[in-house]
C-alpha cells in the first residue's frame, strides 16, 4: 500500500502526548505511528543503509526509510562516535527532501539521538512550512539534553498557535526543560476550553510545582471512567485515555516529589476502578510520604 502517513489531529486524543515524565513518549505517539501502512522496509537494514537510501537520487518512498531509521535510532544503542556522521548526513538529507513526511521523520530520527549537535537543523525545522515537521521539531527539542543554552522565544510563540497539537508539544518541551520564563504562559493554557490542553498544561506545571494547576490535576485524578457499554464520542475520553492521563499525572508527581495531592492519591489508591492505577497510586503515595 502506498498511502502516506499523516500525523492526525487525533493524536491529541492520546494524553500520553501531554506526559512530561517520559518525553520520548511523544516521539512514539507523534512520530512513529503510521496510519494505513501495511508494509515497511526490512528492519534488517542497518542505520547506514537507511541513511544511504535517504541520500539516493533513485530510491523511492524515502519517508519509509526515514520512518524506519527513526525507529531504529530510538531503539538501538548507536555508538557515540557515529553521532557526528549521522547528524551531518541527516541534516543534509533534511535540507534536500521535498516531501514533508520524509523531513518529519528525519527530524524524529535526529531527536532520538538526544545529541546537542542536532540543534541547528532542529531549529530550522521549527520554521518548516509543514505543521507536522514543526511538531517533530518540538518533540526532538524536548529530547535534547537538559540545561542546553537556547533562545526559547520561538518555542513559547507556539503556545499562541491555533494548532492545538503544536501548542501541546510546545508546553511539553518548555516544561521538560524547566524554562522558568514560560511558566506563566503555560499557566495561561489552564484556561483553554479544550480539556486535553488544560490537562497538558496542568501536568506540565507539576515540573514547576505550580499550585495553580492543583484544581485541574485533581479533576484529572478523579475523572470517572465511562461504563462498558457507554458510547464515547469526542471530546469525551474513553477508559484507556482516562487511565493514561491519571498515570501521567501520578508519574509526574512522583518524579517531582510533589505531595500536594496526597489526599486525592490516597482516594485513588482505595477506590479507582482500574487496578493498575490503584496500585500505582499506592506506590506513589508511599514514595511521597518518605
Amino acid at each position: 500500500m502506498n498511502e502516506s502517513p499523516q500525523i492526525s489531529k487525533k493524536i491529541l486524543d492520546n494524553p500520553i502526548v501531554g506526559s512530561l515524565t517520559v518525553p520520548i513518549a511523544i516521539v512514539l505517539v507523534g512520530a512513529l505511528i503510521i496510519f494505513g501502512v501495511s508494509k515497511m522496509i526490512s528492519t534488517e537494514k542497518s542505520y547506514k543503509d537507511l541513511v544511504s537510501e535517504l541520500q539516493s537520487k533513485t530510491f523511492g518512498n524515502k519517508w519509509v526509510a526515514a520512518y524506519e531509521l527513526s525507529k531504529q535510532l530510538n531503539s538501538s544503542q548507536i555508538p557515540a562516535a557515529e553521532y557526528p556522521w549521522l547528524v551531518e548526513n541527516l541534516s543534509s538529507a533534511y535540507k534536500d527532501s521535498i516531501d514533508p513526511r520524509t523531513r518529519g521523520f528525519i527530524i524524529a530520527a535526529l531527536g532520538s539521538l538526544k545529541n546537542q549537535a542536532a540543534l541547528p537543523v532542529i531549529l530550522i525545522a521549527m520554521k518548516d512550512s509543514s505543521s507536522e515537521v514543526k511538531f517533530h521539531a518540538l518533540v526532538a527539542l524536548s529530547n535534547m539534553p537538559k540545561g542546553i543554552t537556547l533562545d526559547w522565544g520561538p518555542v513559547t510563540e507556539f503556545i499562541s498557535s491555533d494548532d492545538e497539537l503544536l501548542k501541546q508539544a510546545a508546553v511539553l518541551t518548555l516544561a521538560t526543560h524547566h524554562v522558568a520564563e514560560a511558566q506563566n504562559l503555560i499557566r495561561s493554557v489552564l484556561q483553554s476550553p479544550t480539556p486535553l490542553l488544560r490537562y497538558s498544561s496542568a501536568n506540565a506545571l507539576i515540573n514547576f510545582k505550580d499550585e495553580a494547576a492543583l484544581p485541574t490535576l485533581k479533576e484529572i485524578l478523579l475523572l470517572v471512567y465511562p461504563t462498558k457499554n457507554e458510547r464515547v464520542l469526542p471530546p469525551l475520553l474513553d477508559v484507556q485515555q482516562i487511565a493514561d492521563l491519571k498515570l501521567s499525572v501520578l508519574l509526574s508527581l512522583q518524579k517531582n516529589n510533589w505531595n500536594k495531592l496526597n489526599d486525592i492519591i490516597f482516594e485513588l489508591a482505595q477506590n479507582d476502578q482500574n487496578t493498575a492505577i490503584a496500585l500505582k497510586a499506592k506506590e506513589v503515595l508511599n514514595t511521597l510520604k518518605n
Side-chain angles (χ1 to χ4, degrees), residues 14-216:
N14 191 323
I16 289 298
V17 171
S19 173
L20 299 172
T21 57
V22 188
I24 196 62
I26 195 170
V27 176
L28 295 176
V29 173
L32 302 183
I33 288 180
I34 290 291
F35 297 95
V37 177
S38 60
K39 184 177 181 181
M40 307 307 296
I41 57 179
S42 172
T43 55
E44 295 178 359
K45 293 182 180 180
S46 72
Y47 62 89
K48 290 189 175 182
D49 291 333
L50 295 169
V51 171
S52 178
E53 289 177 350
L54 282 173
Q55 295 174 323
S56 170
K57 295 185 182 299
T58 58
F59 183 77
N61 285 339
K62 291 186 179 181
W63 66 265
V64 180
Y67 162 77
E68 194 67 27
L69 180 64
S70 65
K71 287 200 304 179
Q72 189 172 133
L73 295 185
N74 181 56
S75 61
S76 303
Q77 293 295 323
I78 305 298
E82 293 293 290
Y83 285 5
W85 180 87
L86 279 165
V87 170
E88 178 182 357
N89 284 276
L90 289 177
S91 297
S92 176
Y94 168 82
K95 294 172 184 176
D96 292 339
S97 296
I98 297 175
D99 180 14
R101 299 164 300 178
T102 304
R103 296 199 304 275
F105 286 123
I106 287 173
I107 295 300
L110 284 167
S112 68
L113 294 176
K114 302 181 181 180
N115 188 278
Q116 194 166 342
L119 270 176
V121 70
I122 290 172
L123 294 177
I124 291 173
M126 281 177 52
K127 301 177 182 178
D128 198 281
S129 58
S130 165
S131 61
E132 294 178 6
V133 177
K134 291 176 183 175
F135 170 79
H136 286 295
L138 288 167
V139 172
L141 188 55
S142 75
N143 284 326
M144 290 296 104
K146 305 304 178 290
I148 58 174
T149 300
L150 193 70
D151 174 11
W152 293 101
V155 181
T156 61
E157 289 177 6
F158 283 106
I159 294 183
S160 302
S161 172
D162 292 331
D163 188 313
E164 294 187 349
L165 184 56
L166 293 179
K167 181 179 294 190
Q168 202 170 7
V171 165
L172 165 72
T173 301
L174 292 163
T176 298
H177 286 279
H178 293 265
V179 181
E181 60 266 33
Q183 184 175 350
N184 286 337
L185 279 172
I186 295 173
R187 189 188 295 138
S188 71
V189 183
L190 286 172
Q191 309 306 317
S192 171
T194 303
L196 284 176
L197 282 175
R198 291 194 294 107
Y199 296 160
S200 295
S201 173
N203 202 351
L205 290 170
I206 295 174
N207 276 23
F208 301 98
K209 295 186 176 181
D210 190 329
E211 295 191 8
L214 290 175
T216 305

Side-chain angles (χ1 to χ4, degrees), residues 208-226:
F208 301 98
K209 295 186 176 181
D210 190 329
E211 295 191 8
L214 290 175
T216 305
L217 292 172
K218 179 178 179 180
E219 177 187 341
I220 294 170
L221 293 176
L222 295 180
L223 284 171
V224 177
Y225 303 102

